[in-house]
Amino acid sequence: MEKNFIIAGFGGQGVLLAGEVLANAFMLDDKNVTWYPSYGAEMRGGTVNCEIVMNDSGDVSSVNKAETDFILALNQASFDRFLPKVKKGGWMIANSTLVEEKKSRDDINYFFVPVTKLADELGNSKMTNILSLGVLAKISKLTSLDTLEKALDNVLPAHRKNLLPLNCKALKIGYEYDLSAVK
Amino acid sequence: MTTLTQTFKIPESIKKGSKFSFCPGCDHGVAVRLVAEVLDELGLREKTIAVASIGCSVTLYDFLEVDSLEAPHGRALAEATGIKRARPDKFVFTYQGDGDFASIGMAESMHCALRGENVTAICINNTTYGMTGGQLGPTTLIGQVTTTSPTGRNVEYYGYPIKIAEHIALCDGTAYSARVSLDTVPNIRKAKAAIKKAFEIQQQGLGFSFVEILATCPTNWKKSPQKAHERVREEMMPIYKPGIYKDITANN
Amino acid sequence: MTECLTKTSKKVLTKGNYAIANAAVLAGCECYFGYPITPQSEIGEFMSGKMQELKRAYVSAESELAAINMVLGACATGAKAMTSSSSCAVALMQEALSYAASDELPIVLVSVMRGGPGLGNIYPSQGDYNQATIGGGNGDYKMIVLAPATVQECVDLTYKAFYLAHKYKNPTVLLADGLLGQMMEPVEFKEYPYPEVDNSDWALTGAKNRPGRIIRSYAPSADNQCEFLNKLHAKYKLIEENETEWEEINTEDADIILVSFGSPARNAKSAMKECRKLGLKVGLLRPITLFPFPSKRIAELAEKTKKFISVEINMGQMIRDIKLAVNGKAQVELLNRPVGNPPSVEEIVEKIKKESGV
């Protein structure tokens, strides 16, 4: 089985880091995984995104995939840009604090969560990325909260380890977010 | 009873049986011999790695009994940097012409000095590209006729010549920078002293050391050896003044 | 970001560029000389810290010209030394690469390709296949060229690059692309698996108790040069016989064989599998060494296969080597993307369908 993810937002929202945590979690689950960023001029100011391809059949994954199983869009520009890339039956998970709740496709699943608002309530809007990663991971059913916490510990550099408890808290809020409460 | 002792002999560092292939009256032969004498006197030959550069100076490795590497044109001090960083216990020097050092290799030369690499560079300045037939180089004097400045070097077309030793002295990483001449016996002695000082500075690990040697090119200057040395004295030395431009070991 | 990379035997998630740099350190690289250029700057960044920590040589060179020549100098003493760069800056190094081939110096160059010609852009590319395999320097020379397709191979082939460079006293290129350089995958840093090569008969160490050694490429007489070039090319032939490496899947009954190296080979492999599911007889041949190129194997396959499709991120460079190997015995088609990410699996499948007449 091969599943792919795109995490997208604007520069500074920490989408590359969130993707790295997810990739790390798949590694800890003993799956093949590939993470690669979009990079270049668009890194400054515009949208930034990374793709994560998970493969549990022992194969090297392909890249530059035409369709995506799970897309996490943290801002409107990313939502608009990547909506057409969601695979039929796949998921568009969007940050409803910054994205208008509009469902123009009927062949995919939408999930709107006010992640920036939730992060603000937690006391740090910079937790948007990790909080939304929790939601994404829960919906995907492809890795556990426990593994993600270990992955976070792997990814946070030594001088940022003081932020680990807060990140874990954000992750948990996202992961345990009530899925049924959403339209 | 009188015993005879040989006071003038071929240095150990000169390859046995080798014969200089330089043109008659060219100062390269004197310069190479001075380098060999100093290597002998400081006992450096067996730990030396020399870097030869492109131009007449490349033949250095035919005459010295040392390990040597031939660098691409202008890159001698990059090669020397690589050698010294890989093997800091070795003695490393380059032997370059002015075109190699100060034209095509100016970036490598300046940056080697700026980094203060613990290597020595010897630069033969004869105000022309000798091996290719006497073209205008970075040190060609204003007014000097060469095959590519047929009416003499003018500023409009060619700009100004460079005073190498002065520029190198300005680099913070330079421990020693001198200009010497080989036109007379006293000056040859001074030249040897400068080479020795430069080598000692490397031995002491003090940084970049540099000796610019004013030299003749009778063939391309179209002068006899004697007239060529007169030109060094009368035309070159007033512009390229011999002297020690930097020596961090000197007491003021 | 980089601190975990010295661990061995446990997988770590890391970028291709860091994987290459850390593998070089583990391979015993004693000297790194470099100049920054995207998309490989992480290699120099990693090396700047790690080499100083290990008291090994590191220089932020003033240019790529200087960097590669510093590598030549260090290698002349027998040291393991490397530089890394990308496309337009590797172009600057061509003179020194020609010297290194002629001097028979074991230099290692990591070339992480970006868009060209000229300044181009920083997107992935395979536009320097020709630069690496044919060479931009003067004269009749060859470099060993290794092409990783995964981050794990970035590690394994970096080890191999140091070994082959020293074994054959030949410049060796690790040819990756910007996508591989920036891509993260779990990798394992096993111990350097190769023996150390004895260089005591040629390295410059000082003329102690022996005559002075000269490493030079200047050959004043034509006769000497003829003899030297014949000897050099006998070495290249030996390298072709001993070191040609490729991955081959499902070629035995294949009507169509995809040939692809580096990151596009990953998509070619997936496309091949998709096509097999559709009942199309498709195989894959992935060259791992680009010089030596698996020409002999392709020639054998051309006896029974109808078509080859070269999948590349350039305007079609490797296809020329495939055509030479096939020698008219089968059709050779190109599926390329000029620059950027590799052709997608879907595009490759479409191309295969079209070429199969489905």
Side-chain angles (χ1 to χ4, degrees):
Chain A
M1 178 187 62
E2 192 168 274
K3 294 282 176 191
N4 66 325
F5 303 74
I6 285 178
I7 303 180
F10 54 75
Q13 277 186 312
V15 301
L16 299 183
L17 184 86
E20 190 179 345
V21 174
L22 184 62
N24 217 292
F26 289 137
M27 176 182 75
L28 293 172
D29 288 338
D30 255 340
K31 289 163 180 160
N32 270 350
V33 62
T34 301
W35 171 102
Y36 58 98
S38 69
Y39 63 100
E42 59 188 332
M43 267 184 88
R44 304 255 156 85
T47 63
V48 60
N49 71 86
C50 59
E51 181 162 0
I52 300 103
V53 188
M54 182 280 290
N55 187 309
D56 62 2
S57 53
D59 269 343
V60 164
S61 55
S62 51
V63 289
N64 190 30
K65 301 174 95 63
E67 296 181 315
T68 310
D69 295 296
F70 300 92
I71 293 183
L72 173 62
L74 295 184
N75 67 350
Q76 188 69 49
S78 303
F79 181 88
D80 296 341
R81 178 176 163 193
F82 288 108
L83 188 62
K85 275 202 88 169
V86 181
K87 191 182 280 180
K88 207 173 159 182
W91 288 83
M92 167 55 89
I93 300 154
N95 175 9
S96 59
T97 315
L98 298 174
V99 177
E100 191 191 345
E101 292 192 38
K102 204 172 118 190
K103 299 180 180 179
S104 56
R105 284 181 63 177
D106 55 12
D107 57 345
I108 62 166
N109 304 293
Y110 286 89
F111 203 100
F112 292 96
V113 198
V115 271
T116 303
K117 187 170 155 270
L118 291 171
D120 280 338
E121 285 166 17
L122 181 63
N124 190 339
S125 64
K126 284 187 176 166
M127 292 297 128
T128 298
N129 60 338
I130 298 301
L131 203 149
S132 56
L133 174 65
V135 180
L136 171 68
K138 180 66 175 289
I139 289 174
S140 78
K141 300 192 182 86
L142 290 168
T143 186
S144 67
L145 182 62
D146 186 45
T147 308
L148 282 165
E149 282 177 357
K150 284 183 193 142
L152 251 177
D153 191 19
N154 270 352
V155 170
L156 283 184
H159 64 284
R160 290 262 183 271
K161 284 283 191 243
N162 59 322
L163 292 173
L164 185 60
L166 187 61
N167 274 280
C168 284
K169 214 166 163 184
L171 190 67
K172 195 158 184 273
I173 293 171
Y175 200 86
E176 291 174 351
Y177 190 76
D178 184 3
L179 301 188
S180 64
V182 176
K183 293 164 269 186
Chain B
M1 204 171 126
T2 319
T3 35
L4 293 174
T5 46
Q6 190 180 355
T7 54
F8 190 79
K9 52 187 175 187
I10 296 172
E12 288 292 313
S13 295
I14 295 282
K15 263 190 185 117
K16 298 272 177 299
S18 65
K19 283 183 184 149
F20 287 158
S21 50
F22 301 114
C23 304
C26 167
D27 281 341
H28 262 299
V30 180
V32 171
R33 186 190 158 96
L34 293 180
V35 168
E37 285 180 7
V38 176
L39 288 176
D40 279 8
E41 287 167 22
L42 297 177
L44 290 170
R45 188 188 71 79
E46 292 183 339
K47 59 182 278 194
T48 293
I49 302 176
V51 183
S53 64
I54 307 303
C56 297
S57 51
V58 77
T59 53
L60 176 85
Y61 49 52
D62 288 334
F63 312 125
L64 290 187
E65 195 64 85
V66 298
D67 279 6
S68 41
L69 171 65
E70 167 198 278
H73 199 14
R75 317 287 163 241
L77 282 163
E79 254 81 357
T81 298
I83 294 169
K84 192 71 178 187
R85 292 288 185 117
R87 303 287 180 252
D89 57 322
K90 299 299 171 195
F91 180 79
V92 182
F93 77 92
T94 66
Y95 186 82
Q96 307 172 252
D98 53 277
D100 194 88
F101 186 96
S103 190
I104 191 169
M106 192 53 162
E108 285 76 9
S109 303
M110 289 298 283
H111 281 277
C112 189
L114 287 165
R115 285 193 304 271
E117 295 291 342
N118 194 36
V119 298
T120 306
I122 306 232
C123 173
I124 305 296
N125 175 1
N126 58 12
T127 71
T128 190
Y129 286 102
M131 194 180 241
T132 47
Q135 293 81 12
L136 175 131
T139 52
T140 298
L141 293 169
I142 299 291
Q144 185 180 338
V145 173
T146 70
T147 58
T148 51
S149 55
T151 57
R153 180 174 197 151
N154 57 68
V155 173
E156 291 80 1
Y157 275 79
Y158 305 95
Y160 296 92
I162 178 177
K163 298 182 176 74
I164 307 174
E166 289 89 328
H167 278 81
I168 293 299
L170 284 172
C171 298
D172 286 346
T174 300
Y176 183 80
S177 178
R179 183 185 293 117
V180 295
S181 162
L182 303 175
D183 64 311
T184 61
V185 173
N187 281 345
I188 289 174
R189 288 183 187 280
K190 279 187 195 163
K192 183 175 168 183
I195 293 169
K196 195 164 186 173
K197 183 70 192 175
F199 282 11
E200 284 167 346
I201 287 209
Q202 182 183 159
Q203 281 185 293
Q204 292 156 21
L206 297 177
F208 187 68
S209 50
F210 176 69
V211 182
E212 176 185 346
I213 300 178
L214 300 181
T216 52
C217 184
T219 302
N220 287 304
W221 293 357
K222 301 184 174 53
K223 290 186 191 306
S224 69
Q226 193 186 345
K227 292 276 179 202
H229 282 104
E230 278 169 20
R231 176 178 183 257
V232 171
R233 249 186 323 274
E234 288 160 15
E235 295 178 29
M236 288 169 70
M237 284 162 67
I239 308 286
Y240 299 130
K241 293 186 177 70
I244 294 164
Y245 288 90
K246 188 171 186 185
D247 179 0
I248 62 165
T249 67
N251 303 321
N252 259 351
Chain C
M1 177 169 65
T2 59
E3 61 264 30
C4 57
L5 290 182
T6 44
K7 284 180 198 160
T8 54
S9 80
K10 193 192 151 218
K11 283 196 170 177
V12 290
L13 184 75
T14 194
K15 273 190 181 188
N17 284 336
Y18 291 130
I20 290 166
N22 196 52
V25 170
L26 293 173
C29 177
E30 299 164 77
C31 309
Y32 176 90
F33 308 102
Y35 188 90
I37 179 171
T38 309
Q40 64 76 51
S41 295
E42 290 92 347
I43 299 177
E45 288 168 0
F46 180 89
M47 289 308 239
S48 66
K50 188 54 77 181
M51 296 298 266
Q52 290 185 65
E53 185 190 319
L54 298 171
K55 304 276 179 233
R56 300 186 194 174
Y58 168 87
V59 178
S60 285
E62 62 271 26
S63 68
E64 288 87 358
L65 274 167
I68 190 80
N69 280 284
M70 288 173 191
V71 178
L72 259 68
C75 284
T77 70
K80 284 184 190 167
M82 71 176 289
T83 185
S84 59
S85 194
S86 180
S87 304
C88 45
V90 174
L92 266 176
M93 299 179 172
Q94 295 301 322
E95 175 198 40
L97 295 175
S98 170
Y99 271 75
S102 179
D103 291 347
E104 296 193 82
L105 289 176
I107 69 166
V108 172
L109 163 66
V110 175
S111 169
V112 183
M113 295 178 280
R114 58 185 259 171
L119 185 58
N121 59 36
I122 61 172
Y123 292 99
S125 165
Q126 295 183 319
D128 304 323
Y129 176 91
N130 285 346
Q131 188 192 54
T133 60
I134 300 173
N138 60 306
D140 248 321
Y141 71 95
K142 281 284 179 190
M143 300 190 291
I144 298 170
V145 184
L146 309 177
T150 64
V151 179
Q152 184 64 55
E153 273 192 349
C154 286
V155 174
D156 299 342
L157 294 181
T158 297
Y159 288 163
K160 192 161 195 175
F162 277 98
Y163 175 61
L164 292 182
H166 283 259
K167 180 178 176 188
Y168 293 100
K169 294 200 298 172
N170 206 69
T172 300
V173 181
L174 184 82
L175 191 69
D177 57 65
L179 179 57
L180 271 172
Q182 297 299 323
M183 173 188 284
M184 281 202 269
E185 289 185 318
V187 293
E188 200 174 337
F189 291 102
K190 293 186 179 143
E191 268 180 49
Y192 181 67
Y194 302 103
E196 293 303 325
V197 178
D198 179 26
N199 54 34
S200 59
D201 62 336
W202 64 266
L204 303 185
T205 55
K208 192 172 185 182
N209 303 322
R210 60 162 174 77
R213 286 175 181 161
I214 305 170
I215 294 182
R216 61 189 269 184
S217 58
Y218 181 45
S221 90
D223 282 352
N224 286 352
Q225 184 77 344
C226 288
E227 193 187 327
F228 171 71
L229 280 169
N230 283 328
K231 197 186 107 212
L232 198 60
H233 281 254
K235 179 175 86 174
Y236 297 154
K237 196 153 182 289
L238 192 69
I239 294 171
E240 285 185 77
E241 282 164 14
N242 293 344
E243 309 297 346
T244 311
E245 195 182 340
W246 69 94
E247 182 189 6
E248 191 179 322
I249 312 168
N250 290 341
T251 52
E252 281 311 310
D253 64 340
D255 295 326
I256 291 180
I257 294 178
L258 303 172
V259 185
S260 187
F261 72 98
S263 59
R266 305 164 65 109
N267 289 4
K269 197 178 200 174
S270 298
M272 181 264 291
K273 287 184 178 165
E274 287 296 317
C275 288
R276 283 276 164 180
K277 281 184 208 159
L278 301 172
L280 297 170
K281 289 181 179 168
V282 180
L284 171 78
L285 189 144
R286 175 173 73 91
I288 296 171
T289 54
L290 301 180
F291 177 80
F293 192 72
S295 308
K296 208 171 144 191
R297 181 58 187 153
I298 290 174
E300 284 166 15
L301 291 168
E303 297 288 343
K304 50 184 183 174
T305 300
K306 297 183 189 106
K307 248 178 214 180
F308 291 85
I309 302 174
S310 185
V311 186
E312 308 181 56
I313 315 176
N314 53 38
M315 295 310 289
Q317 296 191 8
M318 180 177 65
I319 191 171
R320 189 186 160 98
D321 280 331
I322 301 169
K323 282 181 175 170
L324 279 170
V326 164
N327 200 16
K329 294 203 170 134
Q331 209 177 319
V332 184
E333 297 291 329
L334 176 68
L335 175 58
N336 74 309
R337 169 152 311 185
V339 68
N341 280 331
S344 69
V345 176
E346 292 79 0
E347 283 171 73
I348 303 171
V349 170
E350 275 313 301
K351 174 75 174 174
I352 295 167
K353 282 183 182 167
K354 189 180 148 226
E355 295 297 334
S356 312
V358 177

